[in-house]
Amino acid sequence: QQQVKQSPQSLIVQKGGISIINCAYENTAFDYFPWYQQFPGKGPALLIAIRPDVSEKKEGRFTISFNKSAKQFSLHIMDSQPGDSATYFCAAGTNFGNEKLTFGTGTRLTIIP
Amino acid sequence: KAGVTQTPRYLIKTRGQQVTLSCSPISGHRSVSWYQQTPGQGLQFLFEYFSETQRNKGNFPGRFSGRQFSNSRSEMNVSTLELGDSALYLCASSFTLAGFSTDTQYFGPGTRLTVL
């Protein structure tokens, strides 16, 4: 049973535009929601993460929006750059000793000039 | 501080063989998790070790096993390889304090396993 649904599967955005990737989860026990960025040939790298006690977190051009009642969260990349072209994974997990992360299926983002 | 290292980076095996993959976590990290990444299934959790004990396990058959050593290094073993085991195997480590997680998992570059 897939517990984290991610969309879209692929996304093409023009340079300078806003990239938006959405995720929805089912398990209400999740209390940690990270986003990972993966370049070809590399392992995923943590980009930004949020806990359900806040509705938004911003780090530079990257923002997570979180809607606890809808069980949804999204990643917004402002002023998208060609260097942002990568695969993005949302994930969900629980704190306190449980290291297991449940990942979405990934979004391949391409930023075109 | 050095990142998570995985060896080997690439492996080619044939069906029925067995394989062992190695992971060295970031210094000071005591938790090591393993994930399988495939184009169709994405990243799927295999298992997690903390202080040489398996603490969590995903939904994989018993052919997949692992262990952790006293220096936190971890190995993953797959026996009786099947074609469907071809994947990128990722190891991630995280810092824990008194057994509790600080959440951030740092991934290695992975081992690309091809089963022929």
Side-chain angles (χ1 to χ4, degrees), chain A residues 1-6 22-33 66-73 90-94 102-105:
Chain A
Q1 179 190 7
Q2 183 186 1
Q3 295 188 18
V4 179
K5 295 184 180 179
Q6 183 173 348
N22 301 298
C23 283
Y25 63 98
E26 300 167 7
N27 188 348
T28 54
F30 288 142
D31 59 5
Y32 173 64
F33 303 91
F66 183 82
N67 185 330
K68 188 174 181 178
S69 60
K71 291 186 286 185
Q72 295 175 346
F73 58 110
C90 63
T94 58
T102 301
F103 282 84
T105 49

Side-chain angles (χ1 to χ4, degrees), chain B residues 70-102:
Chain B
S70 58
N71 62 359
S72 295
R73 191 177 69 85
S74 177
E75 287 183 347
M76 186 192 120
N77 184 274
V78 188
S79 62
T80 319
L81 284 166
E82 299 177 0
L83 295 178
D85 296 333
S86 294
L88 180 68
Y89 290 89
L90 292 159
C91 163
S93 75
S94 60
F95 176 77
T96 56
L97 184 63
F100 294 111
S101 163
T102 58

Side-chain angles (χ1 to χ4, degrees), chain A residues 7-25:
Chain A
S7 64
Q9 191 173 5
S10 63
L11 181 62
I12 300 174
V13 175
Q14 221 158 14
K15 180 183 174 182
I18 302 174
S19 303
I20 302 174
I21 304 171
N22 301 298
C23 283
Y25 63 98

Side-chain angles (χ1 to χ4, degrees), chain A residues 94-100, chain B residues 31 48 50 55-56 96 99-101:
Chain A
T94 58
N95 204 351
F96 301 117
N98 187 340
E99 306 296 340
K100 171 183 175 179
Chain B
S31 170
E48 183 243 347
F50 177 75
R55 196 161 59 168
N56 284 295
T96 56
F100 294 111
S101 163

